[in-house]
Amino acid sequence: FAAKCADEKMCVICPVGKAGKGGTCDLCYAGQYQNEDAQLTCKDCAAGQYQNEEGTLNCKNCPAGKSNSWTAGTDINDCYDCESGQYQGSPGMSSCESCGTGQSQPNDGQTTCVECVVGKSAPSTGFKECMDCTFGKYNDDIGQINCKPCLAGKFGDSLGGSIELDTCKDCP
């Protein structure tokens, strides 16, 4: 460490959790940290993190199911729940992910999405709830993007059909 002050007697090497110059060391504020000795300034917590205490050498991660897209968060309340149709499976992340095709998530603050059940589908990402199969279609498997059409010569007269044999009937 090279001293950055004119009078060597005034030079102070600040410990971790503090920073300063001119012979003084100040605690890092909430939302900041310093993990190195002899620094002039504190570092802001990264997006996806926060720090509610002063004078620390690291930041805390937002929990899984939450995210924070800005720096220098000062409280766990700066970490927001992922909205329905989204999830975040890892702590310390700056954004949430949309549920994939064939999946949904009806609740906020979740760490995973759930596969669509039989009789339902999710043709694109970010679904809050999987959609019922429409008339003339069925779905006999979980996690599907699209419902299957009834075979030629058959029709479907109910929503959310799950078994082709029961859902699709012979045309009159």
Side-chain angles (χ1 to χ4, degrees):
F1 171 68
K4 300 234 193 274
C5 52
D7 185 353
E8 294 262 343
K9 294 176 187 173
M10 292 290 296
C11 290
V12 175
I13 297 176
C14 296
V16 295
K18 294 182 177 184
K21 58 185 173 184
T24 63
C25 294
D26 297 313
L27 289 174
C28 295
Y29 294 122
Q32 297 181 320
Y33 72 103
Q34 185 48 262
N35 58 352
E36 300 174 78
D37 287 330
Q39 299 301 306
L40 300 176
T41 60
C42 295
K43 303 173 189 176
D44 286 343
C45 293
Q49 298 181 327
Y50 71 97
Q51 181 51 263
N52 57 334
E53 300 173 40
E54 294 183 346
T56 63
L57 59 99
N58 58 26
C59 295
K60 300 172 184 176
N61 286 330
C62 290
K66 297 179 179 279
S67 69
N68 172 353
S69 60
W70 59 86
T71 61
T74 59
D75 191 86
I76 192 165
N77 293 324
D78 289 336
C79 302
Y80 287 95
D81 283 344
C82 296
E83 296 178 358
S84 56
Q86 299 180 333
Y87 73 101
Q88 184 45 260
S90 301
M93 302 306 288
S94 61
S95 64
C96 297
E97 302 292 328
S98 291
C99 293
T101 56
Q103 300 178 332
S104 69
Q105 181 48 259
N107 301 310
D108 293 345
Q110 300 301 304
T111 59
T112 61
C113 294
V114 293
E115 290 186 306
C116 296
V117 297
V118 295
K120 296 183 181 271
S121 69
S124 60
T125 62
F127 267 70
K128 295 176 183 179
E129 292 186 26
C130 296
M131 302 183 318
D132 283 332
C133 292
T134 57
F135 294 108
K137 295 188 176 185
Y138 71 98
N139 204 345
D140 57 359
D141 204 358
I142 61 170
Q144 296 301 299
I145 296 170
N146 295 307
C147 295
K148 303 170 189 174
C150 293
L151 297 175
K154 299 197 177 249
F155 75 100
D157 61 358
S158 64
L159 293 174
S162 59
I163 302 172
E164 198 270 341
L165 184 61
D166 293 340
T167 303
C168 300
K169 301 174 180 150
D170 290 329
C171 292

